[in-house]
Amino acid sequence: MCAHVLVAEDDEMQAELIRRSLLSEGHTATVVHDGSAALDAARRLRPDLVVLDLMLPVIDGFGVCRVLRRDDDIPVLMLTARSAEDDVLLGLELGADDYMTKPYSPRELMARIRTVLRRSGRADGRREDPVIRAAGIAVDAERHEVRCDGAAVECTPAEFEILLAMVAEPERVFSRRQLLECTRGTDRASTERAVDVHIMNLRRKIEADPRSPARLLTVFGVGYKLSGGRG
C-alpha cells in the first residue's frame, strides 16, 4: 500500500515526525503549515489522504475539511489537542474519516492511516497512473522519479516538490512563497530567495539552454511557471 499523503500541521516538529513516519511506511508526503496552503496543495496534487490538524492558522482545520468535502472526496484524518466531544462530533459531521487527539504515538497514527486508505480504496492498486506529465516532463510521486523527454533526471527533494507542483498545473504562475511552501517538508531552512536557486538548478537539468529557458519561465514581478501542455 503506497499513497501520497498531504500533511497539514503548523507544528514543524510534529509535521516532520509524521513525514518521516510516512516515508518509512513507503508513502510519499507533502507538508504544509496553514489551511490556505492545505487547500491549495489538495487541489494541485489530489493526494490520497489528508492528515489535517484542526488548529491551523489562516483557515482552521474545520474550514479546510468543509471545503474539501464540498469539492472532493479525499479522505481526511483529523488531528487535534482539543478532545471536547463537540469538536469530535463537528469534525465527523463535516466528513472527517477518522479523528485522533494529541498526544498520539506515530505507530498508532500509521495504523489509522492504513485503515482509512484501505477503507477508501485510494491506495490498493486501483489508481490508473501515478505519473503526471506536462511539457515533456513526467513526475512519478510514488517512485520519486522524474523524466524529461524520456531521460531520467536526478532532483533534490526540494527540487522534486517544486517540479511536482508545477507539472500538476502547467501554465499556472506560482509565486516564490507558494513554491517555498511546497518545499517545507523537505527543506525547512529554505527562504524565498532559495527558491530562485532551486529554479536555476532545475533549468540546468530540464532545459536545452538554461540561459534561455523554454519550459521553466520567469514571470517578472510574480514568480515562475511551467510552459507547455499536458502530456
Side-chain angles (χ1 to χ4, degrees), residues 141-155:
E142 292 183 359
R143 294 181 175 85
H144 212 273
E145 294 175 349
V146 175
R147 290 187 172 274
C148 182
D149 296 330
V153 177
E154 294 295 326
C155 293

Side-chain angles (χ1 to χ4, degrees), residues 99-116:
Y99 196 109
M100 289 188 68
T101 58
K102 301 176 181 180
Y104 53 81
S105 73
R107 289 182 62 187
E108 181 185 3
L109 176 60
M110 292 304 109
R112 295 283 193 95
I113 286 173
R114 286 194 297 272
T115 298
V116 173

